[in-house]
């Protein structure tokens, strides 16, 4: 009787060992991957914090690419483009943390270089169950035609220099609000035009807020508001979505439940009395691990994940268009911006 051959152990290269690596590493460890890490800082700390893991520090990107099959890019935003391009050129399968690149032109170049299914940008919020539930409910038609979508996100003003430098990080729009611009695009579809404003205060502490209004091609309008507040600001996020058949909302300040409005709940209860509507999201698996597992499955020829390379390009483009609107004081037509 033939014995089934054990699957080959995955060889994964981590490029960057900063804070986000702590969210990605548990998944790679859970599948017993052989891990190589290249980073200009924090690599030794990563190894020290995981003494039982099979993690090898290498001295160059070239050395890492010689050793691995999958590359996980977790460098600061301005350093996403170069290692992703090198990994794609070397034929590796690549996961790159959001944003895919700092600039739209760079993202276009990576998409031209990548083979189908070779590159996935890590937009983890699509794997948060609160947002996955919203996507399912919208796609099922429960809310009817979408009218207005409102998204908020807040956190304290960054203390690391590169985060707060708009030339390097893209500022509040590309570092923080990219999550909600991507959600609006995912839930409501292509954007026809957008308009954005922001304000920065420096006394007594530096804070920044920004508001982006996006008009979708289907007629829906999305409002995305971000805040980098003072150092006492508690992280939080929310959405409030209105359709012709009802309202769906979630807010970290209120509860861990996604909520339909009472009228729509009563309507659904009458139509589907034996069916639950919205499962609890108070306790859930790491969305980072869920996301990475989906990408690995796709690399193996399985189901396509919720995020494509094209989605990563569009998220960068929406962020840059919003920044262009802030700077010009004028709305931006996306078709013209992408031309």
């Amino acid at each position: 009787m033939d014995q089934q051959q054990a699957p080959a152990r995955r060889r994964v290269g981590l490029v960057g060992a900063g804070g986000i690596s702590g969210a990605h590493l548990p998944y790679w460890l859970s599948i017993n991957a052989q891990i190589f890490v290249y980073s200009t800082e924090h690599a030794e700390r990563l190894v020290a914090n995981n003494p039982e893991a099979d993690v090898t520090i290498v001295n160059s990107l070239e050395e890492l690419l010689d050793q691995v099959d999958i590359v996980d890019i977790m460098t600061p935003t301005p350093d996403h483009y170069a290692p992703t391009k090198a990994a794609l050129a070397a034929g590796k399968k690549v996961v790159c943390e959001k944003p895919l690149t700092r600039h739209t032109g760079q993202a276009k170049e990576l998409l031209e270089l990548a083979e189908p299914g070779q590159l996935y940008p890590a937009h983890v919020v699509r794997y948060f169950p609160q947002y996955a539930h919203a996507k399912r409910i919208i796609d099922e038609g429960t809310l009817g035609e979408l009218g207005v979508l409102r998204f908020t996100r807040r956190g304290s003003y960054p203390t690391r220099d590169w985060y707060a430098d708009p030339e390097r990080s893209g500022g509040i729009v590309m570092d923080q609000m990219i999550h909600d611009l991507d959600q609006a695009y995912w839930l409501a579809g292509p954007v026809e035009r957008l308009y954005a404003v922001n304000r920065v205060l420096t006394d007594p502490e530096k804070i920044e807020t920004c508001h982006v209004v996006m008009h979708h091609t289907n007629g829906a309008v999305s409002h995305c508001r971000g805040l980098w507040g003072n150092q006492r600001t508690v992280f939080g996020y929310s959405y409030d979505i209105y359709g012709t058949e009802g309202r769906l909302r979630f807010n970290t300040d209120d509860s861990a439940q996604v909520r339909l409005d009472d009228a729509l709940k009563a309507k659904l209860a009458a139509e589907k009395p034996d069916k639950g509507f919205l499962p609890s999201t108070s306790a859930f698996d790491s969305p980072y691990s869920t996301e990475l597992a989906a990408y690995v499955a796709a690399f193996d020829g399985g189901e396509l994940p919720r995020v494509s390379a094209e989605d990563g390009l569009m998220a960068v483009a929406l962020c840059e268009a919003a920044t262009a609107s802030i700077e010009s004081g004028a709305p931006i037509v996306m078709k013209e911006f992408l031309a």
Side-chain angles (χ1 to χ4, degrees), residues 5 8 12 106 130 173 226 244 251 261 269 292 304 318 332:
Q5 186 176 1
V12 177
Q106 295 173 327
Q130 303 96 328
V173 176
T244 54
N251 192 318
D261 66 74
L292 291 170
L304 292 177
L318 289 171
I332 302 295

Side-chain angles (χ1 to χ4, degrees), residues 37-250:
V37 57
Y38 168 65
S39 182
T40 57
E41 56 182 349
H42 306 314
E44 291 79 7
R45 183 181 67 186
L46 184 72
V47 172
N49 289 341
N50 298 275
E52 304 302 320
D54 184 3
V55 180
T56 302
I57 297 175
V58 298
N59 296 317
S60 68
L61 179 61
E62 292 73 20
E63 184 180 354
L64 180 136
L65 294 177
D66 286 341
Q67 301 289 336
V68 305
D69 307 303
I70 298 174
V71 179
D72 189 353
I73 308 290
M74 297 177 288
T75 53
T77 293
D79 300 322
H80 285 182
Y81 167 72
T84 301
K85 181 179 179 180
L88 291 174
K92 308 304 176 182
K93 297 168 182 176
V94 182
V95 176
C96 179
E97 255 301 327
K98 67 83 188 169
L100 179 58
T101 56
R102 174 63 183 83
H103 298 290
T104 305
Q106 295 173 327
K108 287 181 177 180
E109 184 179 341
L110 293 183
L111 264 65
E112 291 174 358
L113 180 61
E115 296 292 334
Q118 187 186 4
L119 171 64
Y120 291 112
H123 281 267
V124 71
V125 173
R126 291 196 185 192
Y127 287 88
F128 274 66
Q130 303 96 328
Y131 294 89
H133 294 336
K135 175 68 170 173
R136 174 178 60 80
I137 289 165
I138 290 169
D139 288 351
E140 288 176 349
T142 302
L143 295 183
E145 294 184 15
L146 293 181
V148 177
L149 303 87
R150 301 182 187 278
F151 303 87
T152 71
R153 192 166 300 268
R154 68 172 187 264
S156 58
Y157 199 91
T159 56
R160 294 193 64 182
D161 290 344
W162 77 266
Y163 277 114
D165 181 351
E167 289 299 318
R168 300 177 67 192
S169 71
I172 189 173
V173 176
M174 187 164 284
D175 184 72
Q176 183 206 70
M177 296 180 67
I178 188 172
H179 291 299
D180 296 308
L181 299 182
D182 177 63
Q183 284 303 307
Y185 172 74
W186 190 42
L187 298 178
V191 176
E192 178 183 324
R193 66 188 188 277
L194 61 76
Y195 178 74
V197 293
N198 81 325
R199 189 177 187 194
V200 179
L201 301 176
T202 58
D203 186 23
E205 295 181 58
K206 191 169 186 179
I207 64 172
E208 182 173 1
T209 187
C210 179
H211 194 116
V212 180
V213 181
M214 301 196 296
H215 294 257
H216 299 267
T217 57
N218 62 4
V221 178
S222 292
H223 296 260
C224 300
R225 179 166 56 85
L227 170 68
W228 275 347
N230 62 40
Q231 296 307 302
R232 298 172 298 284
T233 302
V234 177
F235 178 75
Y237 50 90
S238 72
Y239 62 70
D240 201 350
I241 302 171
Y242 293 81
T244 54
E245 294 296 323
R247 175 189 182 192
L248 180 70
R249 57 194 170 92
F250 174 84

